[in-house]
Amino acid sequence: MLPALVLATVTALDGGAEPAGPPPGLACLPKWYPVKAVKADAGWAMRLPDGTTVPYDDGKAKTPAELVESPDMEDTYGPPYRQGPIVPVTAENDGPGRVRYYPLLEAAYGSSKRQVDTVRVTFFGKHVMVHRRVLEPFNRVMARLDEAVKRDGSVLPFLQKVGGTFNWRKISDTDRRSAHSYGISIDLNVARSNYWEWQRPKAPLVWKNRFPQAVVDAFEAEGFIWGGRWDHYDTMHFEYRPELLDPACRGPASP
Ligand SMILES: [Zn+2]
């Protein structure tokens, strides 16, 4: 009996000694961004193309304001992004994707206006600039939208008179760069949009939207998040954040 017992013990030890891999939110990133997961002394970290290494999770508890001001990469995954039928957003600070980790965005898209490599595309009759890295998903969104317009002509006006795409600028009244700075965002027809900053009185936030489901579905299917999923609603805004729509980034326990 003894040899069998020894064997079982060795097997158990082997299993226990198996090194844990990077957390899913880090392990999935190289699929979407030019970064690598590395094990540092203090825990899992992200290696950027310039060789610098930043911790994946700084371990700090943060207020909602601190999350937006000084997040780590791990913070950008919460709250979870939910696709599917458009529903009013009523929970406070439910803004999946509003927290952005700038070292990642700058590594992928550029850290100065000159570095952002944009290409011109024609979006429903209007020329817009998008980052070369998002050109293919953006083209696939347009193909989906073409189909949506063929099925239902009432979708078209939402796609015309586009508000803007690439614009190297800060978010108004903040020191943070707008996602439009990287050529990964598009604002659709402003006249058909609802935006929390326009709301009067400004509090409490009362979510509003007029955009049709087909438009939202077309973008989300290709890795773009929608500002209509935020309590700080911005329904014209779509932004390429494929990691937030990739189930692999949430890991096996995610809904
Ligand atoms: Zn926008």
Side-chain angles (χ1 to χ4, degrees):
M1 291 308 287
L2 193 60
L5 183 66
V6 169
L7 187 65
T9 308
V10 168
T11 306
L13 277 177
D14 273 349
E18 194 80 30
L26 175 60
C28 73
L29 282 182
K31 186 159 92 190
W32 304 111
Y33 296 93
V35 297
K36 286 195 180 89
V38 291
K39 185 90 190 242
D41 289 343
W44 284 100
M46 193 163 76
R47 176 154 301 149
L48 303 172
D50 68 0
T52 56
T53 297
V54 290
Y56 174 67
D57 181 0
D58 62 19
K60 292 178 191 156
K62 296 169 194 139
T63 65
E66 288 166 343
L67 281 172
V68 170
E69 285 294 334
S70 52
D72 56 30
M73 185 60 213
E74 186 260 346
D75 293 328
T76 68
Y77 286 108
Y81 192 90
R82 290 177 294 274
Q83 283 180 257
I86 296 171
V87 288
V89 182
T90 53
E92 206 180 339
N93 295 312
D94 188 2
R98 285 190 84 221
V99 173
R100 301 183 182 91
Y101 188 62
Y102 289 93
L104 181 77
L105 296 178
E106 292 187 357
Y109 305 116
S111 53
S112 69
K113 184 177 180 179
R114 205 166 51 87
Q115 279 180 4
V116 179
D117 180 13
T118 55
V119 286
R120 194 170 87 156
V121 292
T122 307
F123 186 88
F124 292 89
K126 195 166 169 182
H127 295 310
V128 297
M129 306 299 286
V130 299
H131 199 287
R132 194 180 298 277
R133 286 182 68 103
V134 309
L135 179 60
E136 285 184 20
F138 196 77
N139 280 335
R140 290 195 296 267
V141 171
M142 286 198 289
R144 287 177 184 273
L145 291 172
D146 277 333
E147 291 303 313
V149 169
K150 276 185 211 151
R151 285 193 301 269
D152 177 1
S154 74
V155 167
L156 184 60
F158 289 91
L159 309 173
Q160 294 169 320
K161 300 177 187 167
V162 168
T165 51
F166 173 58
N167 185 359
W168 185 258
R169 66 170 169 85
K170 299 216 164 142
I171 301 172
S172 51
D173 301 323
T174 79
D175 222 22
R176 297 187 309 281
R177 216 146 259 304
S178 156
H180 289 279
S181 297
Y182 305 103
I184 60 171
S185 300
I186 183 167
D187 287 339
L188 299 185
N189 192 338
V190 178
R192 289 177 173 251
S193 298
N194 295 92
Y195 183 34
W196 69 277
E197 288 268 24
W198 299 335
Q199 187 187 297
R200 297 292 180 276
K202 297 202 80 162
L205 290 175
V206 183
W207 181 93
K208 292 181 201 70
N209 170 56
R210 286 167 280 166
F211 273 85
Q213 184 77 47
V215 173
V216 176
D217 289 346
F219 277 95
E220 289 181 343
E222 300 297 343
F224 289 77
I225 62 168
W226 177 44
R229 303 286 189 196
W230 303 339
D231 65 330
H232 290 75
Y233 54 95
D234 181 358
T235 68
M236 72 192 98
H237 182 87
F238 293 86
E239 173 177 338
Y240 189 61
R241 299 283 293 284
E243 74 280 16
L244 300 182
L245 288 151
D246 180 355
C249 295
R250 290 237 155 241
S254 69

